[in-house]
Amino acid sequence: MNQLNQSSEMIKLNFNEVSRKLVRQCSTCGEYIYHVTRTDGKEFNTECRCIERVRDIEEMERMKNDKTTIIEYNKQHCGFTKRDIEDVNATFRTSKGNIKAYNTLISYANAFSDDTSLGFYIYGNVGVGKSLLAKKVMKILLSNGYSTYITNIIQLMKDIKSEVPKFKSDTLRKCQEVDLLVIDDIGTEKPTDFDMEQMFLIINSRYENKKPIIFTSNCKLDDIVQKYDMFGRIYSRIVGTTQFLEIVDNDNRVHKQ
């Protein structure tokens, strides 16, 4: 109790708060619960990550019969940046080098169902449209009510490490549970053992639950073998759950400038 009182003395108030007193520490996620009194006289206890997650689950259950609400929710949580939204809404410029990949991936997106388990490993030089095509697939799935999420290994590990150690990572859970996961630019990172362990947890969980992943990379198959050979479990899962799709084209980003 003394420890709580001492900690509460160091608590900083928000601009509309009269007081913020520490009540307890959640034994599950480790976050602190505060009793807050605001300038308008209202009093309440703050919520920890556990309660927020329960609310999210309850909200998803409530939305199950409302497709429009589900679509909007999935769009807000898919990992798209403002630039991504602009890019996916623009017309994709097909060429002799990318038309096969374009047709394959658009057909895949239109035929996607709850039974789809095979993903893609899309590779090619920088600027040929690998990431954009993966995002085009995501756009179609989002419009059809499926959940998707895009990230890269560097950002993924940063997000996981920033979350509460005592609680199952929300980022990890999202990557395991969405209908389609896109891991962008795999092979550019310098992974640690921790990174590879988290990556395996994601890939293996999706493998066991027959949920697809789309990888994009500048690395050919031989490069992936060399990079992940010491983590053979990851390499075997990538090969066993994806169709390899190469794009041979010019760097379109250079031509746009």
Side-chain angles (χ1 to χ4, degrees):
M1 193 68 174
N2 290 336
Q3 185 175 358
L4 289 179
N5 289 334
Q6 289 172 2
S7 299
S8 63
E9 292 174 0
M10 297 180 287
I11 297 170
K12 293 183 179 180
L13 300 178
N14 292 327
F15 74 96
N16 62 343
E17 294 177 353
V18 176
S19 67
R20 171 177 282 254
K21 297 180 180 179
L22 185 60
V23 177
R24 64 183 177 86
Q25 183 177 17
C26 177
S27 60
T28 302
C29 69
E31 290 190 349
Y32 293 107
I33 312 297
Y34 301 98
H35 182 78
V36 175
T37 302
R38 298 196 321 195
T39 52
D40 58 7
K42 293 183 179 180
E43 297 185 24
F44 59 91
N45 283 353
T46 59
E47 297 178 345
C48 65
R49 188 184 298 267
C50 301
I51 297 176
E52 291 174 355
R53 184 182 178 193
V54 170
R55 285 187 183 278
D56 286 344
I57 294 172
E58 291 175 346
E59 181 68 10
M60 288 301 294
E61 288 295 323
R62 187 186 66 79
M63 294 191 308
K64 276 186 176 179
N65 296 322
D66 187 347
K67 186 174 181 180
T68 301
T69 305
I70 292 174
I71 289 173
E72 289 306 311
Y73 178 89
N74 288 339
K75 285 181 178 179
Q76 291 174 16
H77 295 82
C78 71
F80 276 173
T81 64
K82 291 182 179 179
R83 183 179 294 278
D84 290 334
I85 294 172
E86 290 180 1
D87 289 344
V88 298
N89 287 325
T91 302
F92 185 84
R93 295 183 180 180
T94 56
S95 66
K96 184 178 180 180
N98 66 33
I99 189 65
K100 179 182 177 181
Y102 175 84
N103 289 335
T104 298
L105 291 168
I106 297 303
S107 296
Y108 170 84
N110 288 326
F112 192 92
S113 73
D114 293 337
D115 296 324
T116 301
S117 59
L118 183 68
F120 284 90
Y121 182 89
I122 310 170
Y123 65 104
N125 293 331
V126 173
V128 297
K130 305 180 295 294
S131 299
L132 181 54
L133 279 175
K135 293 167 189 173
K136 288 284 189 182
V137 171
M138 290 177 63
K139 180 186 177 183
I140 294 174
L141 266 61
L142 287 166
S143 297
N144 289 334
Y146 291 102
S147 59
T148 70
Y149 184 62
I150 184 169
T151 186
N152 58 65
I153 299 298
I154 296 174
Q155 186 62 49
L156 176 60
M157 294 309 143
K158 180 180 179 181
D159 291 341
I160 290 176
K161 291 172 183 176
S162 69
E163 292 171 345
V164 181
K166 294 183 180 179
F167 191 70
K168 184 178 179 181
S169 165
D170 290 339
T171 300
L172 185 62
R173 177 172 58 87
K174 180 187 293 186
C175 289
Q176 291 173 331
E177 295 179 359
V178 290
D179 296 316
L180 175 70
L181 175 65
V182 176
I183 299 181
D184 198 26
D185 278 341
I186 187 173
T188 59
E189 72 285 349
K190 295 180 180 178
T192 64
D193 289 344
F194 173 84
D195 296 342
M196 290 300 94
E197 186 61 34
Q198 298 303 305
M199 188 174 170
F200 178 74
L201 286 175
I202 293 169
I203 294 174
N204 189 62
S205 172
R206 297 189 66 83
Y207 168 79
E208 295 293 343
N209 291 288
K210 294 186 175 182
K211 288 180 174 289
I213 305 176
I214 290 180
F215 299 92
T216 72
S217 181
N218 299 332
C219 301
K220 295 182 179 179
L221 181 58
D222 290 344
D223 299 326
I224 291 296
V225 172
Q226 293 177 10
K227 190 172 188 68
Y228 294 107
D229 186 50
M230 69 180 71
F231 308 102
R233 299 179 301 171
I234 291 178
Y235 168 71
S236 65
R237 287 290 187 265
I238 293 176
V239 173
T241 59
T242 62
Q243 175 182 336
F244 281 73
L245 189 61
E246 183 178 14
I247 301 178
V248 181
D249 204 357
N250 297 318
D251 187 339
N252 295 315
R253 287 180 292 194
V254 173
H255 293 174
K256 288 180 182 179
Q257 297 176 357

